[in-house]
Amino acid sequence: MSRGDMAKPLLGHGSTEGDPSVTPASGRTIGVLGSGDFARSLAIRLVCSGFKVVVGSRNPKRKASLFPSAAEVTFQAEAVKKTDIIFVAVFREHYSTLCDLADVLAGKILVDVSNNTEINHHKESNAEYLASLFPACTVVKGFNVVSAWTLQSGARDGNKQVLICSNNQEAKRTVAEIAQVMGFTPVDMGCMSSACEIENIPLRLLPAWKIPIFLALGLFLCFFTYNLIRQVIHPFIREQKNKLYKIPIEVVNTTLPCVSYVMLSLVYLPGVLAACSQLYYGTKYRRFPDWLDQWLQHRKQIGLLSFFCAALHAVYSLCLPMRRSHRYLLIETAVKQAMEKKMNIWVEEEVWRMEIYISVGIIALGLLSLLAITSLPSIANSLNWREFNFIQSSLGFIALVVSTLHTLTYGWSRAFDENQYKFYLPPTYTLTLLVPCTVIIAKVIFSLPCIRHRLLRIRRGWEKGRYVKFVLPSATGEYSSGETSSNV
Ligand code: NAP
């Protein structure tokens, strides 16, 4: 979220949810212009909410059967005459064809539900364009963020918020009432100049996920290339062995845990940096740099992507023995051992390493699943602050420690084996340990009583070297002012 975004409240102050002054509007007649998907779903929902609905179509006879029998389907001009509130469920390109209705529409409220196909497609928003075509009407922008499917599926599913804006407070309030009766949560987005922003909302593609997805893809690409060099290119150049078959599963499966592990540490690293900044400046009232702010905002998405990669790693690992290459290599090794008359191939240390490695990995995946589940809004809402903080912060940190153990048991003593340094490149797991270990060490340092105590004080409002104005009576009884430090 940029600073500009942060300046705005998450919900407009005008949200009318729970406002006792808002009276139920059901029973009113609502007009709908158009007979397409949106008009149909809207009419169904309005009828179910107790409104009388009159639909205006260019071809009412043909379209009537598509609507519930309680809705009246008639010609556009007829429909408009019967109501003061009309939803314009027609594409912007066809607004001008409604100009013949200008006289009957005069003085009425038009609700613009339209969306565009591209962000900032037109200079002016669709709602402003509609208002310019019908200056004698009051235009309200709304309902465009709700899909036809959501309208039909009811308030239980889909997005419940309906963003509304208009230059006319009364008209906005009327539309908000209708939305509320329909089971939606109206959110007042201010005057008509917000229409453009509201129209862009349904067109945004995962805005909160862009940075985390690029981060995950970037990490994946780096680790994939690194593993490819070590597992495929190195044997080809040094031993002329074709190991290309390793690319789809083995290389991917060594890359996924690296991405997952580093991403998990990146969930906790911004918290560490924020704490360092607060300790350094001795205050919590100094704004973090924009990049750190952004990073802190994206921790949930980064964590979920970390879980996604870990889950894929688990599935890939389970599938490893199913591969034909694995069976061939297994039989080849067995034949070699039989020919060498080796009967006992049990290596106690390897057995223990593998048992611990898998067990710790399962625990790490379980903890990550817990973190992912509790980040879902429906679950998060059922937890109080302490429970949520315990799971996301404490259990999350434990997940990072357990993942580190998983990585260390995987590596075991390989970091000290010079055969593992292909083209002088260290094993991948040693690289992945860098950031997570830094985070773990920093967290341990922050938990030392002296630092923890200082951090807690700062977070409760204490500031280093804060000077306050004071006023003291002088010997003569006069008052003199000065400054002192409240650094206690
Ligand atoms: P649609 O199925 O294509 O329906 C458009 C309707 O516009 C037609 O059924 C037609 O009804 C009417 N219309 C009036 N004058 C027209 C003309 N000159 N040429 C063609 N059609 C004309 O579209 P829709 O999906 O319902 O979308 C309608 C509006 O709702 C659009 O502005 C869209 O952006 C908005 N919206 C849709 C959704 C959604 O999920 N579908 C979600 C949010 C917003 P008659 O033939 O009966 O006149």
Side-chain angles (χ1 to χ4, degrees):
M1 198 185 285
S2 70
R3 272 183 193 181
D5 288 339
M6 286 176 70
K8 288 177 198 153
L10 210 53
L11 293 181
H13 347 258
S15 174
T16 46
E17 190 184 18
D19 185 350
S21 63
V22 174
T23 51
S26 59
R28 228 176 204 160
T29 303
I30 309 287
V32 180
L33 278 180
S35 62
D37 299 335
F38 194 82
R40 211 163 36 247
S41 304
L42 183 66
I44 293 170
R45 186 68 174 266
L46 284 166
V47 166
C48 292
S49 309
F51 292 98
K52 288 181 190 138
V53 177
V54 53
V55 178
S57 168
R58 290 170 305 163
N59 194 342
K61 263 194 184 167
R62 200 154 67 93
K63 303 291 175 74
S65 61
L66 302 173
F67 286 84
S69 55
E72 183 187 346
V73 183
T74 180
F75 287 101
Q76 290 177 333
E78 286 303 310
V80 169
K81 276 181 204 159
K82 293 188 176 176
T83 173
D84 289 336
I85 306 155
I86 300 131
F87 282 77
V88 185
V90 170
F91 284 105
R92 174 192 174 119
E93 300 83 85
H94 305 136
Y95 283 176
S96 55
T97 64
L98 303 175
C99 284
D100 295 345
L101 305 168
D103 288 343
V104 263
L105 282 173
K108 306 199 170 183
I109 297 173
L110 297 184
V111 185
D112 182 292
V113 301
S114 66
N115 282 319
N116 289 316
T117 44
E118 283 169 36
I119 288 182
N120 296 328
H121 194 180
H122 303 280
K123 256 192 211 153
E124 61 186 347
S125 66
N126 296 350
E128 285 166 312
Y129 173 59
L130 187 69
S132 71
L133 290 179
F134 300 96
C137 299
T138 306
V139 175
V140 177
K141 180 82 210 179
F143 284 87
N144 64 307
V145 293
V146 186
S147 69
W149 176 83
T150 306
L151 278 169
Q152 281 212 30
S153 57
R156 299 171 308 281
D157 297 313
N159 181 16
K160 277 190 73 182
Q161 285 191 343
V162 167
L163 311 184
I164 295 169
C165 76
S166 174
N167 288 339
N168 185 307
Q169 290 299 325
E170 199 46 48
K172 200 159 54 176
R173 175 177 277 264
T174 307
V175 177
E177 282 174 36
I178 296 170
Q180 208 165 10
V181 175
M182 288 166 78
F184 290 109
T185 307
V187 179
D188 186 344
M189 294 290 287
C191 57
M192 194 50 103
S193 52
S194 306
C196 204
E197 191 188 334
I198 299 179
E199 283 169 14
N200 284 338
I201 289 172
L203 297 174
R204 289 202 194 122
L205 184 68
L206 307 171
W209 286 85
K210 247 181 210 160
I211 296 175
I213 286 175
F214 279 123
L215 182 70
L217 285 178
L219 281 172
F220 186 88
L221 214 66
C222 292
F223 282 120
F224 184 84
T225 315
Y226 193 83
N227 289 327
L228 190 76
I229 295 171
R230 285 177 47 84
Q231 295 180 23
V232 179
I233 298 177
H234 181 267
F236 183 74
I237 293 181
R238 286 287 154 90
E239 300 158 44
Q240 279 72 51
K241 280 186 182 165
N242 181 358
K243 301 273 181 183
L244 283 173
Y245 75 90
K246 286 188 170 186
I247 295 176
I249 296 196
E250 268 186 55
V251 179
V252 172
N253 194 35
T254 31
T255 303
L256 282 170
C258 301
V259 179
S260 170
Y261 182 41
V262 174
M263 293 279 282
L264 182 63
S265 67
L266 292 182
V267 172
Y268 296 96
L269 184 59
V272 167
L273 295 177
C276 287
S277 158
Q278 288 175 338
L279 283 170
Y280 181 76
Y281 292 109
T283 176
K284 69 165 184 176
Y285 298 110
R286 195 187 157 94
R287 275 207 72 121
F288 298 130
D290 268 354
W291 59 267
L292 186 54
D293 248 352
Q294 290 259 351
W295 194 350
L296 287 161
Q297 298 286 342
H298 287 106
R299 282 179 296 177
K300 175 177 153 180
Q301 287 79 6
I302 297 174
L304 284 172
L305 285 174
S306 160
F307 166 67
F308 175 68
C309 293
L312 282 184
H313 169 53
V315 177
Y316 269 94
S317 303
L318 286 174
C319 294
L320 285 178
M322 288 182 197
R323 295 168 312 143
R324 219 156 257 288
S325 55
H326 176 79
R327 285 186 215 168
Y328 288 152
L329 289 173
L330 211 63
I331 295 168
E332 202 180 290
T333 319
V335 170
K336 262 188 202 166
Q337 279 166 356
M339 287 173 73
E340 287 167 17
K341 296 199 169 47
K342 267 193 197 169
M343 295 310 284
N344 189 4
I345 52 159
W346 188 276
V347 182
E348 190 73 13
E349 186 190 315
E350 270 300 298
V351 169
W352 273 103
R353 180 183 79 84
M354 209 59 188
E355 302 289 312
I356 298 170
Y357 163 66
I358 293 174
S359 169
V360 173
I362 292 169
I363 296 171
L365 184 64
L367 287 170
L368 283 182
S369 317
L370 199 66
L371 295 177
I373 291 167
T374 48
S375 72
L376 296 175
S378 52
I379 309 282
N381 290 345
S382 67
L383 302 171
N384 66 27
W385 178 84
R386 197 163 173 205
E387 289 162 346
F388 184 79
N389 194 46
F390 170 72
I391 293 172
Q392 292 296 329
S393 182
S394 309
L395 280 190
F397 180 65
I398 293 171
L400 184 66
V401 174
V402 175
S403 304
T404 305
L405 290 177
H406 180 60
T407 313
L408 287 173
T409 44
Y410 169 79
W412 208 247
S413 54
R414 287 182 206 186
F416 309 106
D417 177 0
E418 66 179 47
N419 291 331
Q420 294 293 326
Y421 288 74
K422 317 270 161 110
F423 293 137
Y424 302 106
L425 297 173
T428 323
Y429 85 93
T430 55
L431 295 186
T432 62
L433 282 166
L434 280 177
V435 184
C437 286
T438 311
V439 172
I440 292 171
I441 292 168
K443 284 258 187 191
V444 170
I445 294 173
F446 290 156
S447 66
L448 296 175
C450 52
I451 299 181
R452 192 177 133 83
H453 180 64
R454 189 178 167 89
L455 206 52
L456 277 177
R457 279 174 76 201
I458 290 172
R459 287 180 179 167
R460 290 184 74 88
W462 176 85
E463 285 185 276
K464 180 174 82 177
R466 181 161 59 97
Y467 285 84
V468 291
K469 290 246 177 211
F470 70 93
V471 182
L472 280 180
S474 68
T476 57
E478 288 173 341
Y479 285 83
S480 65
S481 68
E483 284 183 338
T484 187
S485 167
S486 71
N487 189 4
V488 284

